[in-house]
């Protein structure tokens, strides 16, 4: 089997197509799976991505970046390779990248999940010979609860706090998780949600793509001194414990992340409540997905790549980890 993707100092590279995927250093031609900071870095000459993610990428890469948006499934010629983007179900516009050269097919998953998410396109299984898969939560302890259960707990927390006149401040990753929560809240109640400025700045990119979110108002738009009692506020984890929090008085704090699966996790401490909600694939669905692709060779990356490769080899699948610089942990924290 010819390698269609190799590791270079700049990042993952397809020699037949002459492009990099999510490079961590500037290159001539970068194909981007999604707009999270560890995958979309500034300075490359030319970027290609799924069209629905271009608005988010533009914010990340700056107004000068040359970004070409492509429809899902549209075949594109790069050198000797035929390339197409396919939905990854991670955040709006997130894509798996399919590369075909002389009948051989590789798929680079980027980050992905299999759970339903009204704020982005649904993951598509793309049959391939080799599958480069993320492994952020690739341990058997990581299993996600149904979304109705998670949202039920979250809305119950909000109601209980409102009943005693407290604000509920939910911390979660500003790109993806916040919009997923807003989309799920909007399906269950008409109540408006207050958002931190870092989250507010990303909402247009979603609404412009037709994603329905709960009605929102920026926290900063409220008259100084006016109470947030009974309100739900969504903020990035970086705001936790900052002076920005003072305006909410005696608020209850929550954190929505896959890391909340592990009680006593260092990320749990300090928050009143943890909600297990991840935009990455969990263990059972990771194994299901690998099987569904029919890949004869699997290259895990991110997080528990070594553990996953070992597990796969034990069950007879050819697997070796790929040492990339993607940082799945940081994604849930920023
Ligand atoms: Zn990501
Ligand atoms: Zn990532």
């Amino acid at each position: 089997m010819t390698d269609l993707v190799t590791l270079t100092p700049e990042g993952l590279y397809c020699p037949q197509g002459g492009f990099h995927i999510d490079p961590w250093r500037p290159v001539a031609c970068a194909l981007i799976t999604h707009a999270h900071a560890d995958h979309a870095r500034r300075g490359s000459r030319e970027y290609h991505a799924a069209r629905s993610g271009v608005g988010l990428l533009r914010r990340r890469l700056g107004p000068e970046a040359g970004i070409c948006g492509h429809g899902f499934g549209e075949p594109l010629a790069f050198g000797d390779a035929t390339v197409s983007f396919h939905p990854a179900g991670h955040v709006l516009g997130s894509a798996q990248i399919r590369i075909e050269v002389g009948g051989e097919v590789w798929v680079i998953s980027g980050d992905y999940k299999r759970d339903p998410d009204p704020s982005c396109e649904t993951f598509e299984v793309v049959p391939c010979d080799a599958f480069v898969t993320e492994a952020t939560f690739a341990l058997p302890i990581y299993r996600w609860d149904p979304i109705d259960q998670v949202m039920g707990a979250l809305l119950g927390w909000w109601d209980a706090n409102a009943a005693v006149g407290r604000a509920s401040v939910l911390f979660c990753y500003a790109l993806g998780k916040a919009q997923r929560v807003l989309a799920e809240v909007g399906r269950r109640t008409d109540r408006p949600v207050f958002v931190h400025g870092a989250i507010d700045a990303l909402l247009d990119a979603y609404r412009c793509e037709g994603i329905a979110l709960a009605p929102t108002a920026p926290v900063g738009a409220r008259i100084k001194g006016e109470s947030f009692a009974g309100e739900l506020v969504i903020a990035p984890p970086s705001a936790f414990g900052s002076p920005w929090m003072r305006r909410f008085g005696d608020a209850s704090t929550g954190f929505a992340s896959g890391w909340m699966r592990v009680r006593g996790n260092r990320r749990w401490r300090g928050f009143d409540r943890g909600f297990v909600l991840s935009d990455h694939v969990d263990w059972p669905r990771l194994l299901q997905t690998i099987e569904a692709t029919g890949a004869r060779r699997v290259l895990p990356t991110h997080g528990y790549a070594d553990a996953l490769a070992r597990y796969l080899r034990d069950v007879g699948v050819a697997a070796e980890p790929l040492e990339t610089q993607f940082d799945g942990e940081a994604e849930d924290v920023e």
Side-chain angles (χ1 to χ4, degrees):
M1 192 189 278
T2 335
D3 283 359
L4 302 191
V5 172
T6 59
L7 205 53
T8 70
E10 289 76 29
L12 298 175
Y13 179 65
C14 172
Q16 297 84 351
F19 58 83
H20 287 80
I21 295 165
D22 294 352
W24 40 84
R25 290 189 196 161
V27 299
C29 179
L31 272 54
I32 303 295
T33 60
H34 66 290
H36 276 148
D38 57 329
H39 295 263
R41 300 183 199 234
R42 289 180 182 225
S44 288
R45 203 176 312 142
E46 180 184 309
Y47 293 91
H48 296 266
R51 193 171 292 131
S52 56
V54 169
L56 291 171
L57 268 182
R58 173 68 59 203
R59 292 200 64 88
R60 183 74 77 194
L61 300 173
E64 306 298 316
I67 309 172
C68 304
H70 303 283
F72 285 119
E74 186 186 315
L76 310 161
F78 284 90
D80 293 331
T82 304
V83 171
S84 47
F85 293 88
H86 300 266
H90 175 57
V91 299
L92 179 63
S94 64
Q96 308 172 76
I97 295 174
R98 181 187 187 274
I99 307 170
E100 180 169 355
V101 178
E104 172 97 10
V105 175
W106 282 45
V107 168
I108 291 77
S109 73
D111 295 343
Y112 68 97
K113 72 171 174 292
R114 306 300 306 272
D115 298 75
D117 179 348
S119 71
C120 69
E121 303 86 356
T122 305
F123 180 93
E124 177 190 327
V125 172
V126 183
C128 55
D129 300 296
F131 187 44
V132 178
T133 179
E134 68 138 308
T136 307
F137 288 105
L139 291 180
I141 47 164
Y142 292 110
R143 290 160 200 265
W144 311 144
D145 297 323
I147 188 67
D148 282 337
Q149 193 178 320
V150 179
M151 291 309 297
L154 201 148
L155 295 178
W157 170 67
W158 181 8
D159 283 342
N161 292 328
V164 295
R166 297 173 96 189
S168 306
V169 186
L170 179 73
F171 295 89
C172 59
Y173 192 52
L175 200 177
K177 189 73 56 68
Q179 294 76 20
R180 183 181 179 194
V181 169
L182 286 169
E184 292 287 358
V185 167
R187 290 179 153 199
R188 290 165 174 85
T189 169
D190 295 332
R191 283 188 279 176
V193 178
F194 286 88
V195 291
H196 183 280
I199 291 168
D200 190 48
L202 299 170
L203 299 184
D204 270 359
Y206 275 77
R207 290 190 171 118
C208 288
E209 288 296 326
I211 307 295
L213 304 175
T216 56
V219 164
R222 193 151 241 208
I223 301 157
K224 248 196 156 69
E226 203 178 325
S227 168
F228 284 87
E231 307 291 2
L232 175 65
V233 180
I234 303 186
S238 56
F240 183 66
S242 74
W244 181 84
M245 285 288 291
R246 281 188 208 134
R247 71 196 74 200
F248 307 114
D250 179 32
S252 181
T253 57
F255 190 25
S257 166
W259 302 110
M260 290 291 113
R261 179 87 290 167
V262 183
R263 273 176 194 273
N265 189 300
R266 63 199 156 94
R267 300 182 193 290
W268 172 279
R269 285 181 224 148
F271 298 99
D272 298 324
R273 279 291 296 270
F275 300 97
V276 183
L277 186 64
S278 177
D279 287 331
H280 295 270
V281 68
D282 69 359
W283 175 252
R285 275 164 280 202
L286 171 60
L287 299 183
Q288 267 171 29
T289 304
I290 288 170
E291 203 181 341
T293 64
R296 288 172 287 129
R297 189 171 161 199
V298 178
L299 299 100
T301 182
H302 257 71
Y304 298 106
D306 290 328
L308 177 60
R310 228 175 300 123
Y311 174 89
L312 290 171
R313 283 195 302 268
D314 282 352
V315 298
V317 179
E320 72 257 38
L322 258 186
E323 294 295 325
T324 60
Q325 293 182 17
F326 306 129
D327 182 1
E329 286 213 32
E331 270 182 11
D332 261 356
V333 172
E334 263 171 57

